[in-house]
Amino acid sequence: MTTPDIRGLEQLERAVLDDTASLATALRRCIMLAGYAHHGELRAWALKELEGYAAADELPSYRKVPAALEVVVDLYMPGQIIRGNTQRISPGQLPQPARDRGIGESAPIRQGVRELEAVVTRGDTVVRLSPPGSAEYVLLMTQEQHQLGNEGSHITSLHWDVSVASIEGVLDHIRTRLTQFVAEVRAAMPAGQQNPNPDQIDSAAQQALNITGGDGSTFNITASNAKADRGGTASANINEPTPATPQPWWHRSSVIWTAIGAVAATASVIATVVLTK
């Protein structure tokens, strides 16, 4: 197929370069362009960015952002209840099943761009995301505390504390990739050619959208209806490294939960955790 009749590049270019326009609009333009070019992988990538990645999908590296791990603890003490005490923890303080699963200080951002844009426009500085299986891990940590005699300690939440700036970075990365894709197509088109052909779309997609996984390995989008000469389907093999396993905090020789309360009615109650070996 050599007819240079794949329309939509100009519309995609305008959408990508307009920072005030939703990124979702640019991705929809990309889906249409990929459809005209019969480019399954490009269409599948744009659709995943638009709708979000399923739990079973491997993520490209730019959708894994640094994030602190935190737990929320309720303390039930004689004559006093302290709720919502937030404590930051390290990956080594997680239960063994969580560490085996590779949960650490990197949060997967699976949501579609519309949802991510909504998070950014809310004006928050951080958002909380729960790791998969967090309800089980919360139960395990609470049980360990009770076994150590801290029956008044109840862990109610395990989550990542994600900076909204990191989410903005994900959106900016997607827009930059689309911009690079348009630039690669333009560079492949000789003077006087108005619309790209499928080979030019294919070459630009390989140059601009060669996604890599979190460990640096090549990340390929599965597209069952890709062009026949492109193999039809692709796969990804990405294994997140399991964090080191220092001694968990609830297995140490002693864990002291100290609550300091002010006697004045208007004063706030602050709970602190002192971890000692």
Side-chain angles (χ1 to χ4, degrees):
M1 179 177 179
T2 58
T3 54
D5 58 355
I6 299 176
R7 303 180 185 276
L9 182 65
E10 185 176 346
Q11 291 87 341
L12 174 59
E13 183 174 1
R14 286 200 299 265
V16 166
L17 295 179
D18 184 1
D19 287 335
T20 65
S22 170
L23 184 56
T25 299
L27 287 168
R28 292 189 183 99
R29 296 287 189 188
C30 184
I31 290 172
M32 292 300 297
L33 183 66
Y36 292 141
H38 305 285
H39 199 293
E41 287 91 340
L42 177 60
R43 188 167 66 251
W45 172 80
L47 188 61
K48 286 183 180 295
E49 295 296 343
L50 186 63
E51 295 185 341
Y53 288 77
D57 291 334
E58 298 289 354
L59 284 180
S61 58
Y62 59 82
R63 275 183 168 266
K64 297 178 181 180
V65 302
L69 283 166
E70 292 183 343
V71 292
V72 178
V73 185
D74 288 347
L75 299 176
Y76 296 86
M77 306 173 68
Q80 189 177 42
I81 298 177
I82 303 173
R83 298 184 184 276
N85 181 39
T86 300
Q87 298 290 330
R88 184 163 294 186
I89 65 173
S90 72
Q93 294 172 295
L94 291 170
Q96 188 65 49
R99 299 202 302 273
D100 291 342
R101 196 168 185 172
I103 293 175
E105 294 177 317
S106 175
I109 307 300
R110 297 187 176 275
Q111 294 81 356
V113 296
R114 273 293 192 188
E115 186 174 349
L116 297 180
E117 287 175 331
V119 169
V120 170
T121 56
R122 280 206 306 260
D124 299 329
T125 57
V126 296
V127 293
R128 289 178 172 180
L129 296 177
S130 295
S134 59
E136 175 191 354
Y137 307 144
V138 162
L139 180 61
L140 288 174
M141 286 188 284
T142 298
Q143 289 175 344
E144 292 286 356
Q145 281 297 304
H146 292 177
Q147 290 173 4
L148 289 171
N150 301 311
E151 296 182 356
S153 301
H154 295 267
I155 299 171
T156 61
S157 174
L158 168 66
H159 58 263
W160 284 296
D161 194 53
V162 181
S163 168
V164 171
S166 294
I167 295 178
E168 288 181 301
V170 172
L171 293 172
D172 186 69
H173 194 109
I174 297 169
R175 189 180 291 273
T176 299
R177 281 184 177 268
L178 284 171
T179 303
Q180 184 183 354
F181 168 71
V182 172
E184 294 289 349
V185 176
R186 291 294 191 194
M189 295 168 60
Q193 184 179 345
Q194 293 185 345
N195 298 306
N197 60 47
D199 288 338
Q200 291 164 342
I201 295 292
D202 182 26
S203 176
Q206 292 185 43
Q207 292 293 324
L209 302 174
N210 183 25
I211 304 170
T212 57
D215 60 355
S217 59
T218 300
F219 179 95
N220 297 310
I221 297 292
T222 299
S224 58
N225 55 348
K227 292 168 60 178
D229 59 347
R230 291 174 55 79
T233 60
S235 62
N237 183 16
I238 300 175
N239 296 312
E240 286 187 293
T242 302
T245 57
Q247 188 71 2
W249 55 293
W250 54 87
H251 286 172
R252 295 178 183 177
S253 58
S254 63
V255 179
I256 304 175
W257 299 82
T258 304
I260 303 176
V263 294
T266 58
S268 61
V269 178
I270 303 174
T272 62
V273 177
V274 179
L275 305 181
T276 61
K277 293 186 176 182

